[in-house]
Each structure stands twice: as structure tokens, then as C-alpha cells.
């Protein structure tokens, strides 16, 4: 394996490889989300032109944009977690000692898991339901429900996975010691 | 277990976790999920039943975290955020700010005041406070920071300015309020104009006083500008003015919805940036990537708040509270004070729309019973909900600013600045409560 | 006392909200306080679009569902949304109520979703409501107009040359006001509830179909867990809701039309009759065929359901013509 950090202990090589793959998937997911935002703008602009210039109606606009919204807003969650980019309110923690901060960082990730895991599980059930029933949105296209539900599931599974990685990293290399992950 | 007990423990858990610096989205979603689960698991009254708790909880999570995001009208938020990034990189926003700076060079806090007027203008075309804060925040805050404005001033100015979004018509909140009270939407829109302008005036006064007391937070440049400089600077601002004409003209002319205006703004900034060769691939890429991560973080919080709204609805606490107030036989002003307090407390944790859906069915009959004017009360409710958008711990507008405002305008900094504005804002609220004519004079004169 | 959680997507205002409140009160009275219904308004508990899933999974015990949001899972019930049959609220709701409570295929189709049908609402017929100088008085006026329309009604108008736009009702007011859309194909009660008459200048009464794929369902596990007496109370209250709501709708329709004509509602609006209702109905036929095809593919007897439904419509039309509405007897 082309591990650039050749001095890393052997037993850490495999997780590092996994981490790199995870990071690459997160990057790809975020890029897809970015693309979805561009796509919804382009599609809505087409709708404006169709209505005002061509005088034709665009069918299923709300459904398509809704699907793109799911991709845009759920796929990047793991990346946000990796960058610890979730919004916090600083009230008094800056007064806490370092060893408390380590515990707090682990607590953050645990609470995050309690938020993400049920949503991921609910997403799995919803995807299974949409897939097996063949449910669709009312419209001209009768657009199936499963692609959006799959994107939702994928985003939350990845998000949960990343939180687990952060938890392990927090426990192993506590943040603030200079060796924190991500 | 009694639902109110679960709810009380839930709120205490939220506060403790927030103090421990757990991200707000994590806290709302996890606590609401656990509380909802406990509610259903204990519902049968025969003790704890895991399987009876699971399926309804997952169903509510799904409907709040998925159905809520699967929304055409909310798409304006990420699109306006992206438009802001692109306008920044293609220097559309920089140019108009240079113009404003040249024009307002002698006015202390001039850029902050310009930002407030920008927010006011933007409010007249969008019905959503979050859209207002996201687009103006991305444009205004980096510029104010570039001229060494204090980050607290820069970020809180736009967070507050964004609250004009639902007060100055058009307004999504007024439309929903009209539906719940069977009052005229156009009367509500008209009623919001003066209170909106009064609020804006209050913000401007706040900035002037704040800068007067602490001149260091908004440094004045000592350069001298000639009329020729002013004209030249204004000339450079044409792309920004063009964008405003497209958006405002498009909506008022009946060519665009607010959502479509967001899409057009994005495309305009992109195309202008490409044609003027100011945008390169790297800038475009980072604009969209940043938009995606910021929007995801923002909507994760909003989805968590939605799950909380469902849970609060289950507990019936708003209903019970209003019944309690009704039974207390209060004087009108006492009743209003209690209701205002309730909205301020709910606004600390929930989003405006959710708060409205939870409370209006019970509050409105009470207000009607007191013989108070429902149009005026609509203005009061919207004003209270807008205050909730900037109060900690759950201040959506502040989080928007934290997402779009750049490195040093984090939520905590913005909340500190907001505290200064809130004194004046509460004074405006008291004025609106004490003098219903401020709200009613325009709608009454139109009859 | 058993408390049933009810999820309602609409506000606690207007004719339908009153009917739902009466239903809840009737249930309480008929059961002598043994059953209570706790209504959660405005989608505060479950979004309107997700209500079927919420009731199925037990997040709410009962709820208001619209077939348009569950085109597959409620496809059979969607028979009520085909813009063909009577637009008389009482006839439409009675026919749906009987079909949904007696036809085995319908009962089983809902049981597959773990819900039980309790009662029905209606949207009343679709009218052509225009802002500015726009007017849709005949079929020829449809082509080229920007019209807000939903469901199969939107598809038919599109086939007739309209430029149809779909948007939430919250946005229609502004869209008509700014001229973004010329007209909306909608119902009389939304004209009032959403104050659309403030921005509308011309109404042509088309009385085209109605939405009756719109009713109350209940979680099947919860329903099966009730005593036979409690189940009977819900049946009786549901039956009564049909007559009470139909009566309220019919009376309110007259009040709104009169109010619009005289200006008593707050503003005077041109109200005329639409010329060409039959053409609209003919143009809707192909969507009946699509529906038959769809439910047949699900293993139901599509043609059989359709003929049973039209027979029921005919039966209640005849009853109305000979003896009048029940509340006038
Ligand atoms: Na506004
Ligand atoms: Na708040």
C-alpha cells in the first residue's frame, strides 16, 4: 500500500486506508450535492423560460426539485461532521479544563450518533417501503419515490459511519493533544 | 409516564447539552427522538413497551427529516446561499459595497446601516427571513469585515436585518396566519409595513448609538472623495443593481416567484462572473461545495427543530398552557404579556412556522374572545416569531449568518451582537403592543 | 377513556374544521365519554403529505388523507378524484362512503396499508377563477392561459392547451396578485379560506368534478383493538359527518357565490356560468381509463369498481331528485 506516512505503525495502516476511502466517498457525495444545487437552479431557470417565453408548462417541477433538495442537503452531512462543521453555541465551555474537553468531544459525537442513527434507520425502512411497493409522486412522470429515499439513506449511513470514526478517534487521540482526527 | 414530565426532562436535557457545546442540530434531533420514543412507549398506560414506541417514532422522524427537506419552496435557501458565494467571487457584491463606502464615507457605521437598508429592500421581495439573512449575509459581512468592522457588529446587523423578511410584505408567516385566523392577507401585508419600517429605524438607531459609544467597532476611513469618485464608484456597481432590477422587477412584474428569483440570481452571478472572466473553475467549485456543506448543516438543525415541534404537539403543552391562561381570568394587558412571553420562550427552541402551527389554534380564540384586533395581533405574533429567530440557543437567522458569514462570524459572536439590538427591538415590540394604530393605520386607510 | 390522536393538515378554521370538530364531539357524546379525539391541527404533528404513513405506523391513530399525496398506496380510493362524476357534494360523498365501507376490494386495499376507512370529505367542484383582465368562460379561453391547477384537473387543462403551474395554496394569492399566473382552477371554499377573492376579478362556475379521494382513515391495529361498541360509534359518527359536511358545504357555496356577486364578502367579483362543462368531462375520460388500467394491474376489478361507483352516484342523484337532501326532508 502506498501509505505516504511510512513511519506509521503497521496496525494503523489498515484503518488509515479505510479513512482515506471514507474521505474520498465524502468528497464525492459533497460534489454530488453541489451538482444538485446547480441542477435545481438550472431546472428552475428552464421553467421560467418555458412559462414566460415558450408558454409551455414544465411538469413535475416541484417533485424534481424536491428530489434534488434531498441530495443537496443530506449527502454532505458526513463531510460536515468530518470537518466538525456543525453549529455550536459557546456558552461557558472555554472555561473548562482540557481533560473535560476530551470528554465533551466524545459526548458530542455520542449525541450526534443518537440523532443520526434513528434517522438512518427510519430512512432504511422508508427506502425499503418505496422500493418494494414502487411508490411514486403524482404527476406526468409518476417519478418513483425510491431515488430520493436512497440518497437520503446513503447520506445518513455515511454520516453515522463518520460519527463512529470520530468517536473512535476521540477516544484514541483526544482532540487538543495535537493528534485529533480530521 | 406523563407527557409533560417527558417534555420537561427533554427541555432540561437540551439546555444542558447546549451548555456542554454539543452542536444544536445533534441536540434537537436526539432529544426530540428520545422524547418522542418515550411518549409512544409509555402511551398505552401499561408501562414501558419498546415495540409500541419504535414504529411511530421512526415514522415521525422520517416525515420530519425527509418530507420537510423535500420541498420546492425551501430550495430558495441553498440557491440564494450559492448566489451569494458566486456574487462575492465575481466581485458583484464587492463593487456595490465600494460604491456605498465611497458614498457613506463620512457616516459612522455607514456600511452596517447600508446593510440594514439592503435587508429592508430584500425583505420587500422575499417572504422568508432565512432567505433574506442568507443572501444579505454572504454579501454584506465579508465587506464589513474587510473595512475592519467588529465581527459582532457585522454579523448581528445582518442577523437582525434578516428578521425584516417576514414583517415587510410579502411574508410567508402572514399568509399562514391569515389562513389560521380567516383574516385578509392583503390587510396583514399592509399592517406589516409600518412596524417593519419602525423596526428598521430601531436597528439603525442601535447601530448609530453603538458606534457612537464604541467608535472602534466601525472605523471611519480618512480618505476624501470627490463627486467624480462617487459617480465612478456608482458606475461600477451596475451588475449588482442589474441583479436587483431582475429580482425585484421579475417578482413584481409577475415573471418570477421568489424561488425562481433565487435560481435566476444564481445563474446571473455565474454567467456574469464567467463573461467578465472574474470567476475561475476553482471559485465556482468552492462556491457550490461550500453552499452544499453550509445548507446541509443548516437544514439538519431545522429538521431537528421540526421533530421537536411534533413532540411538543404530542405533549399538548401549548394547548394546556393556553387553557390555563384562559382560566386565569387575566386583564387584556396581562394576557398579552403572558402570550408574548410564551412566544419568546418557544422562539428560543422552535422555528417560526412550527411555533405558529402549534400555538395559533389555541391562542387565536382567546384573543378573539378578548375582542382584540386579529390583524394587529398578527403583526405582534410575527414580530415575536422574528425575535425568536435571533435569540439563543436556537436562533435560525444567527445560524444562517454563522454558515455564510465567513470565519469570524460564528454563532456565539453573532449572539453577542444581537443582544445589543434586542433592547431596542423589545422597545419596538412594546410600542407595537401599546399603540395598535401603528399597525392598523395603513390597512384602515385602505378600506 | 380512550384518547385517539388525530392528525389534521389544515387549520382549525373553516367549514371542514368545524365538521371535524363536530365529528370529534359526536364521537365523545355517542360513546358517553368513552372515546375522545385529540386533534392536532395544521400539520403540527405530521405533515399533510405524510399523514397516511403516520397513521399506518401509529404516530397518529387517525388522520385526514388526500389520495394525491399517495398516488400508489391510495390508488383505489383515487377513484373519487377523477373529474367525471357529479360535483354535488352530498351525492359524491355518499357514493364514496358507501363504496369505501361496503366494497370488499376497497376495504382490503386500505387494510393492506394498515388503515381503516372512517369517513369522507369533499373539495366541492372546480371553478375557473381569474385575476386581472383574464377570464375563462369557455373551452376556447383555456389555451395559452397560465393556470394553477393540481391533480388530474391540471393534466386535463394541460391537454386543452393551458400552461399549468403547480404550486402550494399558500403561494397562489401572491402568484395571482403579481400576474405570475392568470387563473386558478380551484374550489369555492379556498377562494374564501385563502382570501383569493381579494385578488380575483372573474369567476366562471364550471362545477367540474370534485375531490372525494379525501377522507378520514384510522390505524387498523388501533381500530381492531376497540370494542364492537366503540367501532360502531366511529361508524355512526363517520356516517353522520357525510351528511353534516355536505350540508355545510352546500350552504357555504351559496353564501360565497352570493357574497362574491353582491360584494358582501368584502369585494365584488364577476361570477358567470362556465360554458362547456361537458367538454371538460369528455376530455377527462382518458384519465378514467388510466385509472382502470392502474388498479387492474394491482389485481383489482377496475371496470367493476367503476361501474359500482357510477351506479352509486346515479342512486344518490335519484334519491336527491326525488326526496331532496336529507336535511330538507
Ligand atoms: Na418580506
Ligand atoms: Na430563538
Amino acid at each position: 500500500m502506498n501509505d505516504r506516512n511510512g513511519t506509521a505503525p503497521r496496525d494503523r495502516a489498515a484503518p488509515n486506508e479505510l479513512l482515506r476511502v471514507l474521505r474520498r466517498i465524502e468528497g464525492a457525495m459533497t460534489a454530488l450535492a453541489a451538482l444538485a444545487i446547480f441542477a435545481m437552479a438550472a431546472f428552475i431557470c428552464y421553467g421560467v423560460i418555458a412559462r414566460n417565453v415558450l408558454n409551455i408548462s414544465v411538469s413535475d417541477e416541484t417533485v424534481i426539485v424536491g428530489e434534488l433538495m434531498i441530495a443537496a442537503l443530506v449527502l454532505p452531512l458526513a463531510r460536515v461532521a468530518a470537518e466538525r462543521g456543525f453549529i455550536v453555541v459557546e456558552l461557558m465551555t472555554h472555561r473548562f479544563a482540557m481533560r473535560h474537553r476530551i470528554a465533551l468531544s466524545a459526548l458530542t459525537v455520542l449525541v450526534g450518533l443518537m440523532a443520526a442513527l434513528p434517522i438512518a434507520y427510519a430512512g432504511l425502512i422508508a427506502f425499503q417501503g418505496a422500493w418494494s411497493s414502487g411508490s411514486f409522486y403524482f404527476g406526468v412522470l409518476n417519478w418513483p419515490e425510491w431515488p430520493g429515499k436512497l440518497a437520503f439513506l446513503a447520506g445518513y449511513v455515511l454520516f453515522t459511519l463518520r460519527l463512529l470514526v470520530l468517536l473512535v478517534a476521540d477516544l484514541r487521540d483526544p482532540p487538543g493533544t495535537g493528534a485529533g482526527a480530521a | 409516564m406523563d407527557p409533560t414530565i417527558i417534555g420537561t426532562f427533554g427541555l432540561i436535557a437540551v439546555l444542558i447539552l447546549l451548555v456542554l457545546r454539543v452542536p444544536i442540530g445533534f441536540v434537537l434531533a436526539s432529544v426530540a427522538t428520545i422524547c418522542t420514543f418515550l411518549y409512544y412507549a409509555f402511551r398505552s398506560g401499561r408501562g414501558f413497551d419498546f415495540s409500541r414506541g419504535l414504529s411511530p417514532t421512526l415514522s415521525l422522524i422520517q416525515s420530519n427529516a425527509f418530507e420537510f427537506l423535500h420541498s420546492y419552496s425551501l430550495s430558495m435557501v441553498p440557491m440564494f446561499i450559492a448566489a451569494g458565494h458566486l456574487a462575492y467571487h465575481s466581485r458583484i457584491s464587492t463593487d456595490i459595497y465600494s460604491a456605498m463606502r465611497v458614498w457613506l464615507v463620512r457616516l459612522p457605521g455607514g456600511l452596517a446601516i447600508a446593510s440594514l437598508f439592503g435587508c429592508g429592500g430584500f425583505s420587500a421581495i422575499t417572504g422568508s427571513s432565512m432567505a433574506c439573512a442568507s443572501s444579505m449575509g454572504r454579501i454584506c459581512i465579508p465587506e464589513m469585515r474587510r473595512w475592519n468592522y467588529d465581527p459582532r457588529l457585522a454579523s448581528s446587523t445582518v442577523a437582525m436585518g434578516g428578521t425584516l423578511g417576514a414583517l415587510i410584505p410579502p411574508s410567508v408567516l402572514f399568509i399562514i396566519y391569515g389562513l389560521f385566523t380567516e383574516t385578509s392577507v392583503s390587510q396583514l401585508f399592509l399592517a406589516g409595513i409600518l412596524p417593519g419600517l419602525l423596526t428598521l429605524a430601531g436597528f439603525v438607531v442601535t447601530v448609530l448609538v453603538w458606534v457612537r459609544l464604541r467608535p472602534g467597532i466601525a472605523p471611519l476611513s480618512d480618505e476624501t472623495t470627490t463627486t467624480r469618485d462617487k459617480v465612478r464608484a456608482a458606475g461600477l456597481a451596475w451588475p449588482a443593481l442589474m441583479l436587483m432590477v431582475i429580482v425585484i422587477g421579475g417578482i413584481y412584474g409577475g415573471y418570477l416567484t421568489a424561488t425562481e428569483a433565487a435560481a435566476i440570481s444564481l445563474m446571473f452571478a455565474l454567467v456574469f462572473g464567467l463573461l467578465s472572466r472574474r470567476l475561475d473553475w476553482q471559485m465556482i467549485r468552492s462556491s457550490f461545495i461550500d453552499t452544499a456543506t453550509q445548507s446541509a448543516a443548516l437544514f439538519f438543525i431545522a429538521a431537528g427543530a421540526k421533530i421537536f415541534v411534533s413532540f411538543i404537539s404530542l405533549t399538548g403543552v401549548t394547548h394546556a398552557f393556553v387553557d390555563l391562561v384562559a382560566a386565569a381570568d387575566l386583564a387584556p394587558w396581562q394576557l398579552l404579556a403572558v402570550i408574548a412571553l410564551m412566544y419568546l420562550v418557544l422562539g428560543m427552541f422552535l422555528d417560526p412556522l412550527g411555533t405558529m402551527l402549534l400555538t395559533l389554534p389555541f391562542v387565536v380564540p382567546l384573543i378573539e374572545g378578548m375582542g382584540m384586533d386579529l390583524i394587529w395581533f398578527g403583526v405582534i405574533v410575527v414580530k415575536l416569531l422574528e425575535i425568536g429567530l435571533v435569540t439563543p440557543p436556537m436562533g435560525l437567522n444567527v445560524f444562517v449568518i454563522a454558515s455564510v458569514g465567513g470565519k469570524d462570524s460564528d454563532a456565539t459572536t453573532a449572539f453577542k451582537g444581537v443582544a445589543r439590538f434586542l433592547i431596542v427591538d423589545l422597545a419596538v415590540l412594546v410600542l407595537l403592543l401599546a399603540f395598535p394604530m401603528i399597525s392598523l393605520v395603513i390597512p384602515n386607510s385602505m378600506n | 377513556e380512550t384518547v385517539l390522536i388525530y392528525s389534521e393538515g389544515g387549520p382549525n378554521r373553516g367549514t371542514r374544521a368545524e365538521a371535524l370538530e363536530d365529528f370529534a364531539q359526536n364521537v365523545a357524546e355517542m360513546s358517553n365519554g368513552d372515546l375522545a379525539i385529540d386533534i392536532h391541527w395544521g400539520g403540527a404533528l405530521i405533515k399533510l403529505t405524510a399523514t397516511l404513513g403516520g397513521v399506518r405506523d401509529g404516530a397518529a391513530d387517525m388522520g385526514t388523507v388526500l389520495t394525491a399525496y399517495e398516488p400508489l398506496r391510495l390508488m383505489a380510493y383515487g377513484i373519487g378524484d377523477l373529474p367525471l362524476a357529479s360535483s354535488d357534494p352530498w351525492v359524491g360523498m355518499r357514493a364514496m362512503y358507501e363504496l369505501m365501507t361496503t366494497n370488499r376490494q376497497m376495504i382490503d386495499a386500505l387494510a393492506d396499508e394498515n388503515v381503516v376507512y372512517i369517513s369522507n370529505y369533499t373539495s366541492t367542484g372546480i371553478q375557473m377563477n381569474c385575476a386581472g383582465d383574464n377570464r375563462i368562460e369557455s373551452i376556447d379561453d383555456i389555451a395559452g392561459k397560465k393556470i394553477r391547477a393540481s391533480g388530474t384537473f391540471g393534466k386535463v387543462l394541460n391537454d386543452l392547451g393551458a400552461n399549468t403551474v403547480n404550486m402550494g395554496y399558500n403561494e397562489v394569492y401572491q402568484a395571482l396578485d403579481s400576474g405570475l399566473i392568470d387563473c386558478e382552477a380551484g374550489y369555492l371554499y379556498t377562494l374564501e379560506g385563502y382570501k383569493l377573492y381579494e385578488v380575483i376579478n372573474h369567476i366562471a362556475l364550471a362545477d367540474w368534478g370534485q375531490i372525494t379521494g379525501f377522507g378520514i382513515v384510522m390505524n387498523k391495529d388501533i381500530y381492531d383493538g376497540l370494542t364492537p361498541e366503540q367501532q360502531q360509534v366511529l361508524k355512526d359518527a363517520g356516517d353522520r359527518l357525510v351528511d353534516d359536511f355536505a350540508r355545510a358545504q352546500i350552504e357555504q357555496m351559496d353564501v360565497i357565490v352570493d357574497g362574491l356577486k353582491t360584494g358582501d364578502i368584502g369585494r365584488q367579483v364577476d361570477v358567470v356560468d362556465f360554458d362547456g362543462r361537458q367538454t371538460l368531462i369528455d376530455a377527462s375520460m382518458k384519465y378514467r381509463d388510466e385509472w382502470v388500467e392502474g388498479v387492474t394491474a394491482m389485481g383489482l376489478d377496475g371496470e367493476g369498481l367503476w361501474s359500482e361507483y357510477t351506479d352509486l352516484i346515479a342512486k344518490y342523484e335519484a334519491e336527491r331528485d326525488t326526496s331532496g337532501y336529507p336535511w330538507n326532508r
Side-chain angles (χ1 to χ4, degrees):
Chain A
M1 274 172 211
N2 296 327
D3 193 346
R4 275 195 288 165
N5 188 357
T7 57
R10 279 193 76 84
D11 62 329
R12 302 282 299 272
N16 277 345
E17 187 62 27
L18 275 177
L19 277 183
R20 213 173 11 247
V21 172
L22 185 61
R23 212 164 304 158
R24 195 162 296 165
I25 296 175
E26 284 167 0
M29 293 285 217
T30 311
L32 272 178
L35 207 63
I37 293 168
F38 175 78
M40 67 176 89
F43 186 59
I44 292 173
C45 286
Y46 164 69
V48 172
I49 294 167
R51 189 181 61 241
N52 290 301
V53 184
L54 311 173
N55 204 25
I56 52 172
S57 41
V58 178
S59 45
D60 300 340
E61 199 173 6
T62 50
V63 173
I64 305 283
V65 172
E67 294 283 276
L68 291 168
M69 280 287 277
I70 296 294
L73 301 177
V74 175
L75 293 181
L77 283 171
R79 163 86 168 253
V80 178
E83 292 171 351
R84 298 192 189 256
F86 283 108
I87 296 160
V88 296
V89 184
E90 198 83 55
L91 289 165
M92 53 208 294
T93 30
H94 53 279
R95 295 192 201 131
F96 290 174
M98 187 56 68
R99 63 198 162 84
H100 292 136
R101 290 201 196 185
I102 295 163
L104 289 184
S105 177
L107 174 73
T108 290
V109 179
L110 272 176
V111 177
L113 276 170
M114 280 195 291
L117 205 59
I119 304 181
Y121 186 44
L124 173 67
I125 293 173
F127 169 69
Q128 281 174 338
W131 177 261
S132 60
S133 71
S135 292
F136 54 85
Y137 294 98
F138 183 92
V140 175
L141 298 177
N142 285 344
W143 181 268
E145 283 185 10
W146 69 262
K149 301 255 153 97
L150 179 62
F152 184 84
L153 175 62
Y156 269 97
V157 165
L158 202 64
F159 182 25
T160 307
L161 215 66
R162 169 50 79 176
L163 287 169
L164 284 170
V165 169
L166 287 179
L167 185 64
V168 171
D170 275 353
L171 297 176
R172 212 195 267 183
D173 309 306
T177 60
Chain B
M1 210 193 295
D2 187 64
T4 46
I5 297 176
I6 304 176
T8 310
F9 277 116
L11 283 184
I12 294 172
V14 167
L15 288 173
I16 292 175
L17 290 172
L18 288 177
V19 167
L20 294 178
R21 210 179 173 278
V22 179
I24 180 110
F26 290 5
V27 175
L28 289 177
S30 63
V31 174
T33 300
I34 291 168
C35 287
T36 307
F37 171 72
L38 290 175
Y39 173 86
Y40 285 113
F42 281 106
R43 198 186 152 211
S44 67
R46 288 191 296 269
F48 181 80
D49 184 338
F50 183 87
S51 60
R52 290 192 81 164
L54 191 63
S55 160
T57 307
L58 293 174
S59 189
L60 274 191
I61 293 175
Q62 164 69 14
S63 73
N64 284 301
F66 183 91
E67 304 278 340
F68 165 65
L69 302 188
H70 200 280
S71 160
Y72 175 83
S73 50
L74 283 179
S75 68
M76 78 164 84
V77 177
M79 287 191 297
F80 268 129
I81 293 179
H85 283 300
L86 291 166
Y88 175 76
H89 285 301
S90 55
R91 300 203 297 279
I92 294 176
S93 39
T94 321
D95 284 346
I96 190 161
Y97 262 78
S98 305
M100 284 198 195
R101 196 183 62 84
V102 171
W103 281 76
L104 299 172
V105 68
R106 313 270 13 127
L107 179 65
L111 282 183
I113 290 167
S115 306
L116 286 171
F117 279 105
C119 290
F122 199 85
S123 302
I125 56 167
T126 176
S128 152
S129 297
M130 268 168 79
C132 194
S134 59
S135 58
M136 294 308 290
R138 184 64 183 122
I139 297 169
C140 303
I141 295 172
E143 293 304 311
M144 283 192 267
R145 292 291 298 131
R146 211 154 65 91
W147 299 102
N148 279 323
Y149 275 49
D150 187 282
R152 278 173 306 172
L153 174 66
S155 49
S156 63
T157 297
V158 186
M160 296 307 294
T163 68
L164 296 168
L167 210 50
I168 295 178
S171 158
V172 175
L173 292 185
F174 274 139
I175 291 175
I176 303 285
Y177 180 87
L179 181 60
F180 270 84
T181 54
E182 296 184 285
T183 45
S184 156
V185 174
S186 54
Q187 297 258 308
L188 286 166
F189 279 8
L190 291 171
I193 295 175
L194 272 188
L197 293 177
L198 186 66
T199 302
L200 176 59
F203 294 163
V204 171
V205 168
T206 309
V207 170
L208 288 174
V209 171
W210 190 0
V211 172
R212 179 79 183 241
L213 294 176
R214 299 238 186 293
I217 61 168
L220 263 189
S221 92
D222 50 6
E223 60 192 304
T224 49
T225 49
T226 62
T227 311
R228 249 180 82 178
D229 292 336
K230 290 184 177 176
V231 172
R232 192 170 43 215
L236 278 177
W238 73 265
L241 296 175
M242 178 94 176
L243 191 57
M244 281 184 215
V245 168
I246 291 175
V247 171
I248 297 175
I251 291 177
Y252 275 117
Y255 300 103
L256 303 175
T257 64
T259 310
E260 289 168 344
I264 297 274
S265 307
L266 190 161
M267 283 300 167
F268 177 87
L270 183 61
V271 170
F272 172 83
L274 287 172
L275 291 181
S276 63
R277 295 170 185 277
R278 292 175 178 188
L279 277 181
D280 60 29
W281 168 240
Q282 194 49 45
M283 289 171 179
I284 295 173
R285 198 177 120 60
S286 74
S287 292
F288 279 100
I289 295 278
D290 290 351
T291 302
T293 52
Q294 288 158 359
S295 309
L298 202 59
F299 277 85
F300 183 69
I301 295 176
K306 286 287 169 197
I307 302 175
F308 230 100
V309 168
S310 287
F311 169 67
I312 300 282
S313 188
L314 278 176
T315 64
V317 38
T318 43
H319 195 168
F321 178 77
V322 173
D323 280 354
L324 208 67
V325 171
D329 201 20
L330 299 172
W333 73 269
Q334 290 171 317
L335 175 77
L336 281 173
V338 171
I339 287 178
L341 202 66
M342 176 185 75
Y343 276 103
L344 290 175
V345 170
L346 287 176
M348 287 169 67
F349 300 98
L350 305 175
D351 71 306
L353 193 58
T355 309
M356 236 180 190
L357 299 180
L358 277 177
T359 55
L360 287 185
F362 315 114
V363 170
V364 168
L366 208 57
I367 293 295
E368 249 179 339
M370 285 274 185
M372 295 186 211
D373 189 289
L374 282 180
I375 300 278
W376 163 74
F377 186 66
V379 174
I380 300 297
V381 167
V382 170
K383 181 73 198 162
L384 285 164
L385 293 174
E386 293 296 283
I387 291 175
L389 279 174
V390 291
T391 53
M394 161 72 188
L396 272 178
N397 260 20
V398 169
F399 300 152
V400 170
I401 295 307
S403 310
V404 303
K407 273 284 164 263
D408 51 19
S409 42
D410 57 280
T412 315
T413 309
F415 276 134
K416 282 181 188 154
V418 161
R420 278 134 177 114
F421 282 96
L422 277 183
I423 302 163
V424 178
D425 215 24
L426 288 173
V428 170
L429 175 68
V430 171
L431 279 180
L432 295 178
L433 280 166
F435 303 103
M437 271 323 277
I438 300 172
S439 310
L440 296 177
V441 64
I442 296 185
N444 286 351
S445 69
M446 295 283 174
N447 270 349
Chain C
E1 187 195 36
T2 308
V3 179
L4 300 171
I5 301 175
Y6 191 110
S7 178
E8 164 60 44
N12 63 334
R13 287 284 170 141
T15 315
R16 200 167 62 77
E18 279 164 27
L20 177 55
E21 273 175 338
D22 288 348
F23 169 78
Q25 205 180 330
N26 289 339
V27 167
E29 280 168 13
M30 290 170 171
S31 67
N32 293 318
D34 183 32
L35 279 177
I37 295 181
D38 177 20
I39 307 169
H40 295 256
W41 300 98
L45 179 61
I46 306 170
K47 244 184 117 171
L48 177 61
T49 51
T51 308
L52 178 70
V55 173
R56 177 194 61 211
D57 300 335
D61 303 316
M62 305 174 83
T64 302
V65 294
L66 270 162
T67 56
Y69 296 125
E70 297 284 354
L72 182 78
R73 295 176 186 280
L74 294 179
M75 188 186 280
Y77 189 19
I79 194 171
D81 291 359
L82 298 170
L84 289 160
S86 166
S87 67
D88 181 303
W90 183 74
V91 171
M93 286 169 68
R94 267 281 151 235
M96 282 308 294
Y97 183 82
E98 186 165 340
L99 184 70
M100 297 303 291
T101 50
T102 59
N103 184 292
R104 200 66 240 169
Q105 295 182 53
M106 286 297 195
I107 294 169
D108 290 345
L110 287 187
D112 285 347
E113 296 300 326
N114 196 33
V115 295
V116 176
Y117 173 93
I118 301 291
S119 193
N120 225 86
Y121 299 115
T122 177
S123 67
T124 73
I126 273 69
Q127 327 294 355
M128 307 294 179
N129 312 312
C130 296
D133 297 331
N134 298 296
R135 41 184 58 203
I136 300 179
E137 294 178 340
S138 66
I139 298 291
D140 294 338
D141 293 338
I142 293 172
K145 289 271 191 320
K146 293 183 200 118
I147 307 176
R148 188 273 177 195
S150 59
T152 309
F153 298 90
K155 291 186 181 178
V156 175
L157 288 171
N158 210 38
D159 294 343
L160 291 169
N163 180 348
T164 51
V165 181
N166 198 353
M167 58 176 70
Y169 251 110
N170 293 334
E171 294 167 73
V172 175
Y173 183 99
Q174 254 172 273
L176 283 165
D177 195 24
S178 71
L180 184 82
I181 52 174
D182 304 322
C183 306
E184 68 113 18
Y187 330 106
L188 285 171
Y189 74 88
T190 40
L191 285 185
E192 198 195 20
Y194 286 82
K195 304 286 157 192
L196 298 184
Y197 62 82
E198 291 177 5
V199 289
I200 272 174
N201 293 325
H202 191 270
I203 295 171
L205 300 173
D207 288 332
W208 175 28
Q210 61 184 319
I211 305 256
T212 52
F214 181 17
I216 301 175
V217 298
M218 181 167 180
N219 180 289
K220 191 168 183 305
D221 303 329
I222 301 287
Y223 184 85
D224 292 344
L226 296 177
T227 64
E229 295 77 30
Q230 289 172 325
Q231 293 179 350
Q232 193 57 45
V233 164
L234 289 173
K235 274 184 196 152
D236 293 343
D239 191 351
R240 193 162 144 190
L241 172 71
V242 169
D243 283 347
D244 289 352
F245 185 57
R247 176 182 186 172
Q249 283 286 50
I250 289 166
E251 287 172 358
Q252 193 211 12
M253 280 162 66
D254 291 338
V255 170
I256 294 174
V257 170
D258 290 345
L260 291 167
K261 283 180 177 164
T262 58
D264 286 348
I265 208 166
R267 195 162 162 275
Q268 204 179 344
V269 180
D270 267 352
V271 184
V272 302
D273 284 328
F274 180 82
D275 178 26
R277 180 169 182 271
Q278 193 53 46
T279 315
L280 289 176
I281 291 172
D282 294 344
S284 314
M285 265 318 270
K286 84 179 216 210
Y287 296 102
R288 185 215 75 113
D289 299 344
E290 272 184 15
W291 178 86
V292 168
E293 221 173 278
V295 294
T296 306
M298 295 171 80
L300 302 182
D301 174 16
E303 288 292 354
L305 281 170
W306 177 255
S307 65
E308 187 174 339
Y309 175 58
T310 44
D311 287 351
L312 285 167
I313 296 268
K315 171 182 144 187
Y316 285 108
E317 273 178 342
E319 185 180 326
R320 176 201 60 191
D321 292 344
T322 53
S323 3
Y325 293 122
W327 52 91
N328 290 333
R329 287 171 201 167

